[in-house]
Protein backbone atom coordinates (compact mmCIF):
# COMPACT_ATOMS: atom_id res chain seq x y z
CA UNK A 1 0.00 0.00 0.00
CA UNK A 2 1.15 3.53 -0.86
CA UNK A 3 0.61 6.46 1.49
CA UNK A 4 0.56 10.15 0.50
CA UNK A 5 0.45 12.44 3.52
CA UNK A 6 -0.18 16.11 2.77
CA UNK A 7 -0.80 19.29 4.70
CA UNK A 8 -3.94 20.09 2.70
CA UNK A 9 -6.32 18.20 0.43
CA UNK A 10 -9.21 19.22 -1.80
CA UNK A 11 -11.33 16.17 -2.64
CA UNK A 12 -13.39 17.87 -5.34
CA UNK A 13 -15.92 19.24 -2.87
CA UNK A 14 -14.29 19.93 0.49
CA UNK A 15 -10.96 20.94 2.03
CA UNK A 16 -9.08 18.88 4.61
CA UNK A 17 -5.91 19.53 6.60
CA UNK A 18 -3.16 17.04 7.47
CA UNK A 19 -4.50 13.89 5.88
CA UNK A 20 -3.10 10.67 4.41
CA UNK A 21 -4.33 9.04 1.22
CA UNK A 22 -3.93 5.26 1.08
CA UNK A 23 -3.53 3.83 -2.44
CA UNK A 24 -3.45 0.19 -3.54
CA UNK A 25 -2.98 -0.89 -7.16
CA UNK A 26 -3.70 2.63 -8.35
CA UNK A 27 -7.00 2.95 -6.49
CA UNK A 28 -7.66 5.19 -3.49
CA UNK A 29 -8.56 3.05 -0.46
CA UNK A 30 -9.08 5.64 2.26
CA UNK A 31 -8.46 9.23 3.35
CA UNK A 32 -7.63 9.48 7.04
CA UNK A 33 -6.09 12.02 9.44
CA UNK A 34 -2.32 11.89 9.19
CA UNK A 35 -0.49 10.36 12.14
CA UNK A 36 2.95 11.61 11.14
CA UNK A 37 4.85 14.13 9.03
CA UNK A 38 3.04 15.62 6.05
CA UNK A 39 4.27 16.94 2.72
CA UNK A 40 3.64 20.68 2.24
CA UNK A 41 1.19 21.66 -0.46
CA UNK A 42 -2.35 20.94 -1.57
CA UNK A 43 -3.33 17.60 -3.10
CA UNK A 44 -6.12 17.94 -5.67
CA UNK A 45 -7.81 15.71 -8.25
CA UNK A 46 -5.86 15.37 -11.49
CA UNK A 47 -6.83 17.73 -14.29
CA UNK A 48 -8.78 16.39 -17.27
CA UNK A 49 -8.25 18.15 -20.62
CA UNK A 50 -10.76 17.32 -23.35
CA UNK A 51 -9.02 19.32 -26.10
CA UNK A 52 -5.27 18.74 -26.54
CA UNK A 53 -3.71 19.03 -29.99
CA UNK A 54 -0.11 18.61 -28.91
CA UNK A 55 2.68 19.28 -26.45
CA UNK A 56 6.35 18.69 -25.86
CA UNK A 57 7.12 19.62 -29.46
CA UNK A 58 4.72 17.04 -30.92
CA UNK A 59 1.42 17.61 -32.75
CA UNK A 60 -1.06 14.74 -33.00
CA UNK A 61 -2.27 15.62 -36.51
CA UNK A 62 1.26 15.80 -37.86
CA UNK A 63 2.47 12.58 -36.23
CA UNK A 64 -0.37 10.36 -35.00
CA UNK A 65 1.84 7.84 -33.19
CA UNK A 66 2.15 6.28 -29.75
CA UNK A 67 5.33 8.26 -29.18
CA UNK A 68 3.44 11.49 -29.85
CA UNK A 69 0.85 10.51 -27.25
CA UNK A 70 3.56 9.81 -24.69
CA UNK A 71 5.33 13.08 -25.48
CA UNK A 72 2.09 15.04 -25.13
CA UNK A 73 1.20 13.38 -21.84
CA UNK A 74 4.65 13.92 -20.36
CA UNK A 75 4.56 17.59 -21.36
CA UNK A 76 1.13 18.20 -19.86
CA UNK A 77 1.65 16.09 -16.73
CA UNK A 78 4.16 18.74 -15.62
CA UNK A 79 1.17 21.06 -15.44
CA UNK A 80 -1.27 18.74 -13.70
CA UNK A 81 -3.00 16.97 -16.58
CA UNK A 82 -3.58 13.32 -15.69
CA UNK A 83 -6.17 12.47 -18.36
CA UNK A 84 -6.64 13.85 -21.86
CA UNK A 85 -8.45 13.49 -25.13
CA UNK A 86 -5.78 13.85 -27.84
CA UNK A 87 -7.41 16.03 -30.48
CA UNK A 88 -7.39 15.62 -34.25
CA UNK A 89 -8.36 18.80 -36.04
CA UNK A 90 -9.91 18.78 -39.51
CA UNK A 91 -7.89 16.47 -41.75
CA UNK A 92 -8.16 13.67 -44.30
CA UNK A 93 -9.92 10.38 -43.62
CA UNK A 94 -6.51 8.69 -43.79
CA UNK A 95 -5.13 10.81 -40.93
CA UNK A 96 -8.30 10.29 -38.90
CA UNK A 97 -8.01 6.54 -39.44
CA UNK A 98 -4.36 6.50 -38.41
CA UNK A 99 -5.13 8.55 -35.31
CA UNK A 100 -7.99 6.20 -34.41
CA UNK A 101 -5.73 3.16 -34.76
CA UNK A 102 -3.13 4.75 -32.49
CA UNK A 103 -5.72 5.69 -29.89
CA UNK A 104 -7.16 2.16 -29.98
CA UNK A 105 -3.68 0.74 -29.42
CA UNK A 106 -3.10 3.13 -26.50
CA UNK A 107 -6.45 2.29 -24.93
CA UNK A 108 -5.82 -1.45 -25.29
CA UNK A 109 -2.46 -1.11 -23.57
CA UNK A 110 -3.80 1.26 -20.87
CA UNK A 111 -1.40 4.00 -21.93
CA UNK A 112 -1.32 6.38 -18.93
CA UNK A 113 -3.52 9.43 -19.29
CA UNK A 114 -5.03 8.59 -22.69
CA UNK A 115 -8.77 8.13 -22.21
CA UNK A 116 -10.15 8.61 -25.73
CA UNK A 117 -10.06 10.93 -28.71
CA UNK A 118 -11.53 14.27 -29.80
CA UNK A 119 -12.19 14.79 -33.50
CA UNK A 120 -12.52 18.57 -33.85
CA UNK A 121 -13.94 18.54 -37.35
CA UNK A 122 -14.05 17.92 -40.26
CA UNK A 123 -17.80 18.68 -40.29
CA UNK A 124 -17.41 22.40 -39.63
CA UNK A 125 -18.51 25.73 -41.09
CA UNK A 126 -16.17 27.33 -43.61
CA UNK A 127 -16.95 30.91 -42.44
CA UNK A 128 -15.93 29.92 -38.90
CA UNK A 129 -13.13 27.50 -39.75
CA UNK A 130 -10.35 29.43 -38.03
CA UNK A 131 -7.07 27.71 -38.89
CA UNK A 132 -8.77 24.46 -39.90
CA UNK A 133 -7.85 23.63 -43.53
CA UNK A 134 -10.78 24.37 -45.82
CA UNK A 135 -9.84 21.62 -48.26
CA UNK A 136 -10.66 18.99 -45.64
CA UNK A 137 -13.94 20.47 -44.37
CA UNK A 138 -16.74 18.16 -45.52
CA UNK A 139 -20.11 16.66 -44.72
CA UNK A 140 -20.48 13.47 -42.72
CA UNK A 141 -20.00 10.34 -44.81
CA UNK A 142 -19.84 6.59 -44.27
CA UNK A 143 -16.04 6.80 -43.99
CA UNK A 144 -16.16 9.02 -40.90
CA UNK A 145 -19.10 7.12 -39.44
CA UNK A 146 -17.05 3.94 -39.56
CA UNK A 147 -14.38 5.64 -37.44
CA UNK A 148 -16.84 7.20 -35.01
CA UNK A 149 -18.61 3.85 -34.61
CA UNK A 150 -15.52 2.03 -33.35
CA UNK A 151 -15.85 0.54 -29.88
CA UNK A 152 -12.11 0.49 -29.14
CA UNK A 153 -11.43 4.24 -28.90
CA UNK A 154 -12.39 4.91 -25.31
CA UNK A 155 -14.30 8.17 -24.96
CA UNK A 156 -15.25 9.55 -28.39
CA UNK A 157 -15.90 13.28 -28.77
CA UNK A 158 -16.72 14.95 -32.09
CA UNK A 159 -17.09 18.71 -32.68
CA UNK A 160 -19.51 19.61 -35.47
CA UNK A 161 -21.16 22.71 -36.93
CA UNK A 162 -24.93 22.10 -36.67
CA UNK A 163 -25.66 23.87 -39.96
CA UNK A 164 -23.57 21.21 -41.71
CA UNK A 165 -24.83 18.15 -39.86
CA UNK A 166 -28.49 17.37 -39.32
CA UNK A 167 -30.30 16.56 -36.07
CA UNK A 168 -30.83 13.04 -37.44
CA UNK A 169 -27.08 12.65 -37.92
CA UNK A 170 -26.44 13.93 -34.40
CA UNK A 171 -28.84 11.31 -33.08
CA UNK A 172 -26.96 8.74 -35.16
CA UNK A 173 -23.66 9.80 -33.58
CA UNK A 174 -25.12 9.71 -30.08
CA UNK A 175 -26.39 6.18 -30.79
CA UNK A 176 -22.76 5.26 -31.57
CA UNK A 177 -21.74 6.47 -28.07
CA UNK A 178 -20.22 9.67 -29.44
CA UNK A 179 -20.28 12.81 -27.30
CA UNK A 180 -21.28 15.61 -29.68
CA UNK A 181 -19.98 19.15 -29.20
CA UNK A 182 -20.98 22.16 -31.27
CA UNK A 183 -18.44 24.65 -32.56
CA UNK A 184 -16.75 26.31 -35.53
CA UNK A 185 -20.24 27.34 -36.55
CA UNK A 186 -22.18 30.29 -37.90
CA UNK A 187 -25.56 28.73 -37.06
CA UNK A 188 -28.54 30.68 -35.83
CA UNK A 189 -30.00 29.99 -32.41
CA UNK A 190 -32.82 27.77 -33.71
CA UNK A 191 -30.36 25.49 -35.49
CA UNK A 192 -28.17 25.28 -32.40
CA UNK A 193 -31.15 24.47 -30.19
CA UNK A 194 -32.26 21.73 -32.59
CA UNK A 195 -28.80 20.18 -32.31
CA UNK A 196 -29.03 20.20 -28.50
CA UNK A 197 -32.48 18.66 -28.67
CA UNK A 198 -31.00 15.92 -30.87
CA UNK A 199 -28.42 15.02 -28.24
CA UNK A 200 -25.44 17.39 -28.50
CA UNK A 201 -24.17 18.14 -25.00
CA UNK A 202 -21.24 20.53 -25.31
CA UNK A 203 -19.72 23.58 -26.97
CA UNK A 204 -16.12 23.76 -28.12
CA UNK A 205 -14.05 26.78 -26.95
CA UNK A 206 -16.90 29.14 -26.02
CA UNK A 207 -17.04 32.44 -27.97
CA UNK A 208 -14.32 31.37 -30.39
CA UNK A 209 -15.32 30.47 -33.96
CA UNK A 210 -19.04 30.63 -33.24
CA UNK A 211 -21.94 32.95 -34.12
CA UNK A 212 -22.12 35.73 -31.53
CA UNK A 213 -24.85 36.79 -29.13
CA UNK A 214 -26.82 39.77 -30.38
CA UNK A 215 -30.09 41.31 -29.24
CA UNK A 216 -32.33 39.73 -31.86
CA UNK A 217 -30.28 36.68 -32.87
CA UNK A 218 -28.70 34.93 -29.87
CA UNK A 219 -26.47 32.81 -32.08
CA UNK A 220 -24.46 29.89 -30.76
CA UNK A 221 -22.95 31.96 -27.95
CA UNK A 222 -26.37 32.94 -26.65
CA UNK A 223 -27.73 29.40 -26.69
CA UNK A 224 -24.54 28.05 -25.12
CA UNK A 225 -24.76 30.49 -22.21
CA UNK A 226 -28.51 30.11 -21.70
CA UNK A 227 -28.80 26.33 -21.90
CA UNK A 228 -28.62 24.87 -18.38
CA UNK A 229 -27.79 21.30 -19.39
CA UNK A 230 -24.82 21.55 -21.78
CA UNK A 231 -21.15 22.08 -20.99
CA UNK A 232 -18.87 24.77 -22.46
CA UNK A 233 -15.13 24.47 -22.86
CA UNK A 234 -13.31 27.69 -21.96
CA UNK A 235 -9.74 28.65 -22.83
CA UNK A 236 -8.50 30.83 -19.98
CA UNK A 237 -5.31 32.22 -21.50
CA UNK A 238 -6.21 35.91 -21.75
CA UNK A 239 -6.24 35.71 -25.56
CA UNK A 240 -9.19 33.53 -26.51
CA UNK A 241 -11.63 35.58 -24.46
CA UNK A 242 -11.48 39.02 -22.90
CA UNK A 243 -11.64 38.90 -19.09
CA UNK A 244 -15.02 40.64 -19.18
CA UNK A 245 -16.36 38.05 -21.63
CA UNK A 246 -15.02 35.32 -19.36
CA UNK A 247 -16.77 36.88 -16.37
CA UNK A 248 -20.02 37.07 -18.35
CA UNK A 249 -19.76 33.34 -19.02
CA UNK A 250 -19.02 32.62 -15.36
CA UNK A 251 -22.05 34.67 -14.31
CA UNK A 252 -24.45 33.41 -16.98
CA UNK A 253 -23.71 29.71 -17.38
CA UNK A 254 -25.19 27.22 -14.95
CA UNK A 255 -22.78 26.25 -12.17
CA UNK A 256 -20.79 23.18 -13.04
CA UNK A 257 -21.14 23.58 -16.78
CA UNK A 258 -17.95 25.50 -17.62
CA UNK A 259 -14.85 23.34 -18.00
CA UNK A 260 -11.30 24.46 -18.61
CA UNK A 261 -9.63 23.23 -21.81
CA UNK A 262 -6.26 24.18 -23.22
CA UNK A 263 -6.60 23.68 -27.01
CA UNK A 264 -2.84 23.23 -26.60
CA UNK A 265 -0.47 22.99 -29.54
CA UNK A 266 2.99 21.44 -29.78
CA UNK A 267 5.05 24.20 -28.06
CA UNK A 268 3.57 23.52 -24.60
CA UNK A 269 6.44 22.54 -22.32
CA UNK A 270 9.09 23.72 -24.81
CA UNK A 271 10.76 26.95 -25.91
CA UNK A 272 9.73 26.41 -29.55
CA UNK A 273 8.77 29.66 -31.27
CA UNK A 274 7.20 28.24 -34.42
CA UNK A 275 5.84 25.03 -35.88
CA UNK A 276 4.32 23.76 -39.10
CA UNK A 277 0.55 23.41 -39.38
CA UNK A 278 -0.59 21.92 -42.67
CA UNK A 279 0.78 24.21 -45.41
CA UNK A 280 1.65 27.14 -43.15
CA UNK A 281 3.55 28.10 -40.03
CA UNK A 282 2.33 29.14 -36.62
CA UNK A 283 4.34 31.71 -34.69
CA UNK A 284 4.63 32.00 -30.93
CA UNK A 285 4.77 35.40 -29.27
CA UNK A 286 5.07 34.85 -25.53
CA UNK A 287 2.01 32.79 -24.68
CA UNK A 288 0.10 33.54 -27.89
CA UNK A 289 0.02 31.52 -31.12
CA UNK A 290 -1.03 33.01 -34.46
CA UNK A 291 -0.87 31.94 -38.09
CA UNK A 292 0.43 34.08 -40.97
CA UNK A 293 -2.92 35.91 -41.15
CA UNK A 294 -2.85 36.79 -37.45
CA UNK A 295 -5.55 34.30 -36.46
CA UNK A 296 -5.28 32.51 -33.14
CA UNK A 297 -3.99 28.99 -33.76
CA UNK A 298 -4.63 27.06 -30.59
CA UNK A 299 -2.65 27.91 -27.48
CA UNK A 300 0.43 27.28 -25.39
CA UNK A 301 -1.82 27.09 -22.34
CA UNK A 302 -1.55 24.38 -19.70
CA UNK A 303 -4.22 23.36 -17.21
CA UNK A 304 -2.46 24.68 -14.11
CA UNK A 305 -1.86 28.00 -15.86
CA UNK A 306 -5.56 28.21 -16.70
CA UNK A 307 -6.49 27.47 -13.07
CA UNK A 308 -4.18 30.26 -11.91
CA UNK A 309 -5.67 32.66 -14.48
CA UNK A 310 -9.18 31.84 -13.26
CA UNK A 311 -8.18 32.53 -9.66
CA UNK A 312 -5.87 35.52 -10.14
CA UNK A 313 -7.44 37.35 -13.11
CA UNK A 314 -11.11 36.36 -13.00
CA UNK A 315 -11.71 36.16 -9.26
CA UNK A 316 -12.87 32.54 -9.32
CA UNK A 317 -12.60 30.94 -5.89
CA UNK A 318 -9.92 28.22 -5.85
CA UNK A 319 -12.26 25.30 -5.27
CA UNK A 320 -14.41 26.28 -8.27
CA UNK A 321 -11.36 26.79 -10.50
CA UNK A 322 -10.12 23.34 -9.51
CA UNK A 323 -13.52 21.79 -10.22
CA UNK A 324 -13.52 23.43 -13.66
CA UNK A 325 -10.28 21.59 -14.39
CA UNK A 326 -11.23 18.18 -12.99
CA UNK A 327 -14.72 17.45 -11.67
CA UNK A 328 -16.72 19.21 -14.39
CA UNK A 329 -14.79 17.67 -17.32
CA UNK A 330 -15.23 14.29 -15.61
CA UNK A 331 -18.97 14.84 -15.39
CA UNK A 332 -19.13 15.97 -19.02
CA UNK A 333 -17.34 12.77 -20.07
CA UNK A 334 -19.45 10.63 -17.69
CA UNK A 335 -16.30 9.45 -15.86
CA UNK A 336 -18.19 9.17 -12.63
CA UNK A 337 -15.33 8.30 -10.27
CA UNK A 338 -12.92 10.86 -11.76
CA UNK A 339 -12.40 14.43 -10.62
CA UNK A 340 -12.56 13.46 -6.95
CA UNK A 341 -10.25 12.12 -4.27
CA UNK A 342 -12.49 9.54 -2.67
CA UNK A 343 -12.26 5.87 -1.77
CA UNK A 344 -12.70 3.75 -4.88
CA UNK A 345 -11.52 6.41 -7.31
CA UNK A 346 -8.46 6.07 -9.53
CA UNK A 347 -5.48 7.78 -7.92
CA UNK A 348 -5.01 10.55 -10.47
CA UNK A 349 -3.59 13.31 -8.29
CA UNK A 350 -1.77 16.63 -8.42
CA UNK A 351 0.21 18.36 -5.68
CA UNK A 352 0.15 22.16 -5.85
CA UNK A 353 2.08 24.76 -3.87
CA UNK A 354 0.60 27.92 -2.38
CA UNK A 355 0.84 29.69 -5.76
CA UNK A 356 -1.01 26.86 -7.54
CA UNK A 357 2.16 25.68 -9.26
CA UNK A 358 2.44 21.94 -9.85
CA UNK A 359 4.92 20.13 -7.62
CA UNK A 360 4.04 16.54 -8.53
CA UNK A 361 1.47 14.49 -10.41
CA UNK A 362 0.37 10.84 -10.31
CA UNK A 363 -1.66 8.65 -12.67
CA UNK A 364 -3.01 5.43 -11.20
CA UNK A 365 -0.90 6.19 -8.15
CA UNK A 366 2.30 6.14 -10.20
CA UNK A 367 4.48 9.26 -10.09
CA UNK A 368 4.56 10.98 -13.48
CA UNK A 369 6.17 14.28 -12.56
CA UNK A 370 8.06 15.60 -9.57
CA UNK A 371 9.45 19.11 -9.40
Amino acid sequence: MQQLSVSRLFDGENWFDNVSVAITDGVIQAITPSAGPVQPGTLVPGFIDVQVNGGGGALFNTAPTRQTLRTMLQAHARFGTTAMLPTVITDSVAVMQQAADVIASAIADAEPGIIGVHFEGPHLSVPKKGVHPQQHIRHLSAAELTIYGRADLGIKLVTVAPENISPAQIRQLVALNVIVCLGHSNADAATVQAALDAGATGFTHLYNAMSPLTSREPGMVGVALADPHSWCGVIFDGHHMHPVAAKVALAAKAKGKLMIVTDAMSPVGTTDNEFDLFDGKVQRDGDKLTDADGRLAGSVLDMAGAVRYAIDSLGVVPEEALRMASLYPAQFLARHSAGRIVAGAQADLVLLDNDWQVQASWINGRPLFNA
Side-chain angles (χ1 to χ4, degrees), residues 7-365:
S7 60
R8 201 172 189 218
L9 180 144
F10 177 67
D11 70 357
E13 296 290 346
N14 301 299
W15 298 94
F16 300 90
D17 292 326
N18 300 316
V19 295
S20 292
V21 180
I23 301 167
T24 302
D25 296 329
V27 176
I28 297 169
Q29 301 300 313
I31 297 100
T32 56
S34 179
V38 295
Q39 193 171 354
T42 300
L43 194 68
V44 304
F47 302 148
I48 303 168
D49 193 347
V50 306
Q51 190 177 2
V52 193
N53 308 292
L59 194 66
F60 195 42
N61 272 73
T62 303
T65 66
R66 286 286 288 274
Q67 185 55 54
T68 292
L69 295 181
R70 295 186 187 109
T71 299
M72 288 169 58
L73 195 279
Q74 286 291 337
H76 286 275
R78 292 173 49 196
F79 306 108
T81 296
T82 58
M84 64 166 61
L85 293 183
T87 300
V88 184
I89 69 171
T90 299
D91 213 319
S92 66
V93 169
V95 169
M96 294 174 68
Q97 181 66 62
Q98 186 177 351
D101 290 343
V102 168
I103 291 291
S105 169
I107 296 291
D109 293 341
E111 186 79 40
I114 307 301
I115 60 171
V117 62
H118 180 173
F119 292 102
E120 188 186 354
H123 320 300
L124 307 179
S125 160
V126 170
K128 293 291 186 180
K129 66 181 179 61
V131 297
H132 288 243
Q134 184 170 337
Q135 70 267 28
H136 291 307
I137 290 176
R138 56 193 182 273
H139 292 290
L140 180 64
S141 75
E144 292 90 18
L145 274 174
T146 298
I147 297 171
Y148 304 150
R150 292 177 60 161
D152 57 355
L153 301 180
I155 296 168
K156 300 175 292 187
L157 174 61
V158 178
T159 294
V160 303
E163 65 267 46
N164 287 343
I165 188 166
S166 68
Q169 288 173 317
I170 290 175
R171 286 191 288 271
Q172 187 177 13
L173 290 173
V174 172
L176 294 173
N177 293 315
V178 172
I179 298 170
V180 178
C181 272
L182 308 177
H184 285 278
S185 166
N186 216 19
D188 61 19
T191 302
V192 177
Q193 187 60 56
L196 291 176
D197 294 342
T201 55
F203 292 89
T204 294
H205 47 49
L206 179 66
Y207 292 120
N208 292 274
M210 58 177 61
S211 46
L213 166 64
T214 66
S215 59
R216 288 178 291 280
E217 173 44 61
M220 181 169 281
V221 170
V223 176
L225 291 175
D227 181 69
H229 307 296
S230 57
W231 284 263
C232 294
V234 288
I235 306 173
F236 283 163
D237 65 351
H239 302 299
H240 279 80
M241 58 175 74
H242 190 284
V244 172
K247 290 178 180 179
V248 168
L250 287 161
K253 189 64 177 173
K255 180 176 167 59
K257 298 297 186 177
L258 289 181
M259 57 184 178
I260 289 171
V261 300
T262 63
D263 197 16
M265 290 295 203
S266 58
V268 171
T270 77
T271 57
D272 295 350
N273 286 319
E274 72 172 28
F275 62 95
D276 294 327
L277 184 65
F278 299 103
D279 297 328
K281 287 192 179 295
V282 173
Q283 301 288 333
R284 176 181 186 172
D285 181 11
D287 61 352
K288 185 178 183 180
L289 297 178
T290 53
D291 69 2
D293 296 321
R295 295 174 298 193
L296 286 174
S299 83
V300 286
L301 183 65
D302 60 76
M303 291 294 280
V307 167
R308 289 193 299 275
Y309 181 87
I311 295 169
D312 297 337
S313 298
L314 302 178
V316 179
V317 295
E319 54 267 32
E320 184 67 5
L322 293 167
R323 281 191 285 260
M324 291 174 69
S326 57
L327 180 60
Y328 301 156
Q331 292 171 339
F332 167 64
L333 298 175
R335 298 187 79 221
H336 299 298
S337 67
R340 301 178 189 271
I341 303 177
V342 294
Q346 184 171 303
D348 290 355
L349 307 167
V350 178
L351 184 69
L352 302 170
D353 67 14
N354 291 336
D355 297 319
W356 312 108
Q357 298 279 351
V358 175
Q359 300 303 296
S361 59
W362 297 261
I363 295 180
N364 283 327

